[in-house]
Amino acid sequence: MGDCCVIQKVAHIVLRAESFVAGFLLCMISTLVFISAVARTVGHPINWAQDISLLASAWLTFIGADIVAKTGNLIRIDMLEKHFPKPVRKLLTLVFDVAMILFLLILIVYGFMLVSQSWYRTFNTLKLSYAWCTLSVPVGSTLLFFSVAGKLARDLMTLVGKWGEEKAC
């Protein structure tokens, strides 16, 4: 029971850190885009603002995806699903979780390959490697992998627990 509490505390700390970073990135992007638009309008464009916004958007996308997965706010299209019986819906949930884990493993592997290939490419206006942008793919996918794997483990434990209850009756 102690290990579970530690894992939950770490997950909560990670979620709070991700939420803070995501909020900061969103504010930064909004501010940069606004100031850049105003500066361009008055004839003094801020050329580097676009590259910084691109970098921040990449990280915000993947960190935000993990936040949404952890809070259970993923968008679902359940028009077809709601017509299935409950056992079929539970099975579909498990199948989709496994499919997502496999997809995330692919993103992690190929994401790191992309980082290594983009290390010597730089942003147009910054002396910064483009790998810092592409690094958001494997890092964010790894965070999301652990979130989805945890959800899958909880779903499986719930099913196993219910199977045990059914046999006891």
Side-chain angles (χ1 to χ4, degrees):
M1 193 72 170
D3 290 339
C4 185
C5 291
V6 171
I7 291 171
Q8 287 178 344
K9 286 181 182 179
V10 169
H12 180 71
I13 291 169
V14 170
L15 177 61
R16 287 187 58 181
E18 287 175 333
S19 297
F20 175 79
V21 170
F24 173 78
L25 290 174
L26 185 60
C27 289
M28 184 176 76
I29 293 165
S30 301
T31 303
L32 277 175
V33 168
F34 177 75
I35 291 172
S36 178
V38 170
R40 191 177 327 108
T41 301
V42 297
H44 299 287
I46 305 172
N47 296 327
W48 53 266
Q50 182 179 2
D51 286 341
I52 295 290
S53 295
L54 173 69
L55 176 64
S57 293
W59 282 95
L60 179 60
T61 299
F62 284 95
I63 290 173
D66 189 44
I67 292 169
V68 168
K70 282 180 179 164
T71 57
N73 293 323
L74 286 171
I75 295 173
R76 294 180 47 186
I77 301 172
D78 61 354
M79 288 174 33
L80 186 61
E81 179 187 327
K82 66 183 178 182
H83 296 294
F84 291 128
K86 194 170 186 176
V88 173
R89 287 191 302 228
K90 289 183 183 224
L91 180 63
L92 283 174
T93 298
L94 295 177
V95 168
F96 289 140
D97 285 348
V98 169
M100 191 164 180
I101 285 172
L102 293 174
F103 177 70
L104 289 169
L105 287 172
I106 292 168
L107 282 180
I108 293 167
V109 170
Y110 283 99
F112 279 117
M113 290 170 58
L114 182 63
V115 169
S116 67
Q117 292 172 356
S118 62
W119 198 254
Y120 296 106
R121 177 182 172 199
T122 59
F123 283 94
N124 291 331
T125 60
L126 305 171
K127 293 184 189 222
L128 183 67
S129 172
Y130 200 75
W132 291 107
C133 187
T134 57
L135 189 62
S136 65
V137 175
V139 170
S141 296
T142 301
L143 291 168
L144 192 53
F145 171 84
F146 285 112
S147 297
V148 175
K151 179 187 175 303
L152 177 62
R154 285 188 303 276
D155 289 345
L156 285 172
M157 291 300 181
T158 301
L159 284 177
V160 169
K162 288 185 179 179
W163 288 335
E165 290 173 9
E166 291 172 1
K167 290 180 182 178
C169 291

